[in-house]
Amino acid sequence: CVCVCVCDCIAGTLNAMQFFTTLTELLACTADGHVELEDHMGRCFSAGCVHPSATHTGHSAYERWEAHSSAMPRISTDWINALEHDAVHQGAWVGQSTEMKVPDDHWLDGYPVLSWGWLKGFNHSIAYLAIAACACESLDRSETLEASRQAACQSTSLLHDVARVLDADLDRFVQFVRAQPCQGVVVDVRFNEGGEDAFAQRIAQRFFDTERHTHSKQGHANYSSGASRYVSKASVAAKGTLQKHYIAPAPNNLSCDLSGLPVLLLVNDVTGSAAEVFALAMQALPVVHTAGGNTAGMLSDMMEPRLPNGWRFSLSHELYYDAKEKCIEAVGVGVDTVLDDPNSPVVPFATQWARALSK
């Protein structure tokens, strides 16, 4: 409502850039990465991580966001050095590149959604799985993430082709793990900014032995159909009621015998959106230990109305709760062990956990 009022009152007195900057200052107060603004020139802004810092004090919210988004790594690749070099595997990619690039220890242009291998020093007994995003390219390159989001308006399931790609990669990972006497898996979703809940839940299914309550969410009482391209109306709790969500084991035609394996789940404050839904799902399993730091706390689906001038903006319109019905919006998913440096490329705690399992 504030944005619409501002549109009506000052759109005629400011040029496009001034108007865009004014709106970003208003939206920045939410500190929510799911609050976004996009103008007719394709200029984008997200309200997440735009608080003033020592290096950006005095700059506009849009300038702070530009500086932050250009500097933040999408995923660190230093973990590669912690794996047996003859057994590093990659799944389908996000982005345009089809080959690994690691200048400055970061993926550029594109990166594999799933990467896995064996931690060094444990005789192929501790597996490592990095999940860089909760979305991937499909077999049909015309089926992009955007197409998948559009399809989510009608269904909570993934595009068939995207699901086939993910399932094939997960089958490869399960077969990789079960080919050796694996004693545990380190699952790393640090720097995973999210994607689609259905994608995250499809991965989590491989670790489930029985159906479990993973989280609940509460929709805004005034939610209107068709307002979001990311989620179907049916998946939003009606009129503010609390809706419980469950995850069942993967179907019988898929490899799902990871259940029962001890899991160390690594998260940090960049772990966001669908990756947080994944963390909630995994925490429902008694064999999972979560380490790092609280996640980003931006789980709500995105409602995307248009301003009167045609610009797109999105707002969070739901509250997410963990399995104990504790609200975690703006707080994040908590951890069992807080690490001094949850962003450390090679986490010493993972080695300690692995050694404890190997004894």
Side-chain angles (χ1 to χ4, degrees), residues 188-202:
D188 194 345
V189 289
R190 295 172 303 164
F191 301 105
N192 183 328
E193 298 181 78
E196 297 179 66
D197 289 1
F199 193 100
Q201 292 163 348
R202 202 173 185 93

Side-chain angles (χ1 to χ4, degrees), residues 5-333:
C5 290
V6 170
C7 269
D8 292 338
C9 295
I10 66 174
T13 62
L14 300 178
N15 64 38
M17 187 59 201
Q18 290 172 327
F19 182 43
F20 185 85
T21 301
T22 299
L23 290 184
T24 60
E25 292 295 336
L26 290 171
L27 295 176
C29 298
T30 67
D32 183 350
H34 279 174
V35 175
E36 299 177 349
L37 177 68
E38 182 179 359
D39 68 7
H40 63 289
M41 300 293 291
R43 186 165 42 227
C44 299
F45 170 81
S46 170
C49 302
V50 293
H51 294 300
S53 66
T55 56
H56 296 114
T57 301
H59 291 69
S60 70
Y62 181 59
E63 290 171 330
R64 296 197 304 274
W65 178 78
E66 280 192 311
H68 169 80
S69 60
S70 63
M72 188 179 72
R74 279 175 289 187
I75 182 171
S76 172
T77 59
D78 280 357
W79 53 262
I80 290 176
N81 296 324
L83 303 184
E84 300 288 354
H85 289 291
D86 60 345
V88 178
H89 301 264
Q90 299 173 0
W93 284 60
V94 163
Q96 302 303 314
S97 178
T98 56
E99 62 182 58
M100 186 170 67
K101 300 179 181 180
V102 287
D104 301 323
D105 297 324
H106 299 122
W107 302 111
L108 294 179
D109 299 327
Y111 46 91
V113 173
L114 303 181
S115 301
W116 62 90
W118 296 108
L119 283 182
K120 288 180 180 178
F122 295 96
N123 195 27
H124 291 187
S125 65
I126 303 297
Y128 175 93
L129 172 67
I131 307 174
C134 294
C136 71
E137 302 290 345
S138 68
L139 296 171
D140 177 357
R141 290 294 172 173
S142 65
E143 285 191 357
T144 60
L145 174 58
E146 178 62 25
S148 186
R149 285 172 172 168
Q150 293 288 352
C153 287
Q154 307 301 324
S155 170
T156 56
S157 63
L158 291 171
L159 281 174
H160 178 67
D161 212 23
V162 172
R164 285 170 59 200
V165 171
L166 177 60
D167 288 342
D169 287 343
L170 289 172
D171 281 343
R172 289 173 57 203
F173 173 67
V174 172
Q175 292 163 10
F176 169 84
V177 168
R178 288 308 185 185
Q180 301 287 341
C182 182
Q183 297 181 10
V185 183
V186 177
V187 179
D188 194 345
V189 289
R190 295 172 303 164
F191 301 105
N192 183 328
E193 298 181 78
E196 297 179 66
D197 289 1
F199 193 100
Q201 292 163 348
R202 202 173 185 93
I203 298 175
Q205 280 185 305
R206 299 302 184 104
F207 295 88
F208 274 60
D209 56 346
T210 187
E211 184 177 76
R212 297 175 186 270
H213 172 222
T214 58
H215 67 282
S216 302
K217 64 179 180 178
Q218 186 175 37
H220 193 283
N222 294 323
Y223 174 81
S224 60
S225 62
S228 173
R229 67 178 180 178
Y230 290 84
V231 67
S232 67
K233 182 184 178 184
S235 71
V236 179
K239 297 187 181 299
T241 58
L242 199 64
Q243 184 183 72
K244 290 188 175 182
H245 286 250
Y246 297 80
I247 291 183
N252 291 334
N253 63 315
L254 300 175
S255 300
C256 55
D257 53 354
L258 294 176
S259 61
L261 274 178
V263 173
L264 174 63
L265 180 65
L266 300 178
V267 299
N268 65 3
D269 60 357
V270 182
T271 305
S273 193
E276 296 180 272
V277 174
F278 175 79
L280 282 175
M282 295 299 287
Q283 286 188 343
L285 300 172
V287 293
V288 173
H289 187 95
T290 310
N294 276 29
T295 62
M298 54 173 204
L299 295 96
S300 170
D301 297 309
M302 300 162 72
M303 181 170 60
E304 295 194 66
R306 294 272 177 177
L307 296 180
N309 63 356
W311 293 2
R312 179 190 67 83
F313 78 101
S314 63
L315 295 173
S316 296
H317 61 94
E318 295 170 324
L319 295 176
Y320 270 65
Y321 300 80
D322 63 17
K324 297 180 180 179
E325 298 194 356
K326 173 187 175 183
C327 183
I328 53 176
E329 287 291 335
V331 176
V333 180

Side-chain angles (χ1 to χ4, degrees), residues 330-346:
V331 176
V333 180
V335 298
D336 299 309
T337 301
V338 177
L339 301 179
D340 292 335
D341 183 12
N343 300 333
S344 174
V346 180

